[in-house]
């Protein structure tokens, strides 16, 4: 039986590391966290710290660069641009791993609830900016990387976000 996988996210390194139970690194991916820094407060646009889990996985069969608005597929980025569709400033693409905080008062409940804040690990149309803190609170990944990660992890996978 394979080890259960866990995700560790380093804000300082802008790196997501997938590890098994023995702390062996399975995969590493560069990421982009919030340009506003870290924090758990609602409407802060900051990346929350602490222990989380993947509550929902969205986009299983979506093509690469599928755009999600309100977690609903809208079409690929290329097609939407050809149709001159209005797109949000922070475009969510390819896959969504929706995080739920596990620490009451820190990232769960009230004004600090990561799930209610819609904190995701997701693909982006700004892949060239991966490795820099430029997101609006979520953890952005390159599209091929987020698809690969999505296929490797299950819901309830533990995610720890640290400075």
């Amino acid at each position: 039986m394979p080890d259960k996988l866990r995700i560790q996210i380093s804000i300082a390194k802008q790196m997501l590391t997938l590890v098994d139970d023995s702390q062996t690194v399975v995969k590493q991916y560069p990421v982009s966290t919030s340009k506003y820094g870290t924090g758990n407060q609602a409407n802060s646009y900051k990346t929350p710290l602490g222990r989380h889990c993947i509550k929902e996985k969205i986009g299983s069969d979506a093509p690469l660069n599928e755009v999600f608005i309100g977690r609903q597929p809208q079409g690929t980025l290329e097609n939407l641009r050809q149709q001159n569709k209005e797109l949000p400033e922070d475009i969510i693409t390819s896959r969504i791993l929706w995080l739920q905080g596990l620490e009451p008062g820190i990232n769960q409940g009230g004004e600090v609830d990561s799930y209610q804040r819609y904190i995701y690990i997701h693909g982006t149309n700004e892949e060239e900016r991966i490795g820099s803190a430029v997101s609006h609170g979520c953890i952005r990944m390159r599209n091929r990387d987020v698809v690969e990660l999505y296929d490797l992890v299950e819901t309830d996978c533990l995610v720890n976000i640290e400075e």
Side-chain angles (χ1 to χ4, degrees), residues 11 14 31-48 87-92 113-114 116-126 129-130 132-141:
I11 303 293
Q14 294 292 298
V31 296
S32 179
T33 60
S34 177
K35 63 182 170 184
Y36 303 103
T38 59
N40 297 20
Q41 193 67 29
N43 302 313
S44 68
Y45 299 104
K46 295 179 179 181
T47 299
L87 296 169
E89 181 183 344
D90 190 7
I91 299 173
I92 295 169
D113 195 283
S114 293
Q116 295 301 321
R117 290 181 59 205
Y118 304 102
I119 299 296
Y120 311 141
I121 299 170
H122 65 80
T124 181
N125 64 310
E126 297 184 312
R129 299 182 79 188
I130 294 295
S132 301
V134 296
S135 87
H136 295 178
C138 289
I139 294 94
R140 295 179 182 177
M141 296 181 71

Side-chain angles (χ1 to χ4, degrees), residues 10-163:
S10 167
I11 303 293
K13 296 178 182 173
Q14 294 292 298
M15 188 66 64
L16 182 153
T17 305
L18 187 62
V19 298
D20 64 19
D21 285 334
S22 65
Q23 293 291 71
T24 301
V25 173
V26 176
K27 288 276 186 178
Q28 273 197 310
Y29 304 98
V31 296
S32 179
T33 60
S34 177
K35 63 182 170 184
Y36 303 103
T38 59
N40 297 20
Q41 193 67 29
N43 302 313
S44 68
Y45 299 104
K46 295 179 179 181
T47 299
L49 297 173
R51 291 183 300 112
H52 294 78
C53 71
I54 296 171
K55 178 70 173 172
E56 294 184 48
K57 293 173 61 176
I58 300 168
S60 291
D61 298 321
L64 204 62
N65 293 316
E66 178 75 25
V67 172
F68 291 88
I69 298 176
R71 295 160 306 286
Q72 299 301 311
Q74 304 295 309
T76 63
L77 184 60
E78 181 181 23
N79 288 343
L80 294 173
R81 283 189 170 147
Q82 286 174 353
Q83 298 167 21
N84 291 318
K85 294 282 186 184
E86 189 171 326
L87 296 169
E89 181 183 344
D90 190 7
I91 299 173
I92 295 169
T93 57
S94 297
R95 298 290 184 277
I96 297 171
L97 299 168
W98 193 351
L99 302 183
Q100 178 179 42
L102 298 175
E103 300 173 280
I106 296 173
N107 56 30
Q108 181 187 80
E111 294 294 311
V112 295
D113 195 283
S114 293
Y115 186 78
Q116 295 301 321
R117 290 181 59 205
Y118 304 102
I119 299 296
Y120 311 141
I121 299 170
H122 65 80
T124 181
N125 64 310
E126 297 184 312
E127 289 188 332
E128 71 282 356
R129 299 182 79 188
I130 294 295
S132 301
V134 296
S135 87
H136 295 178
C138 289
I139 294 94
R140 295 179 182 177
M141 296 181 71
R142 292 185 184 115
N143 290 288
R144 291 192 190 285
D145 290 350
V146 78
V147 168
E148 182 177 79
L149 178 66
Y150 185 100
D151 291 341
L152 290 170
V153 298
E154 303 295 329
T155 53
D156 294 330
C157 174
L158 294 177
V159 178
N160 190 50
I161 305 172
E162 58 190 19
E163 295 279 1

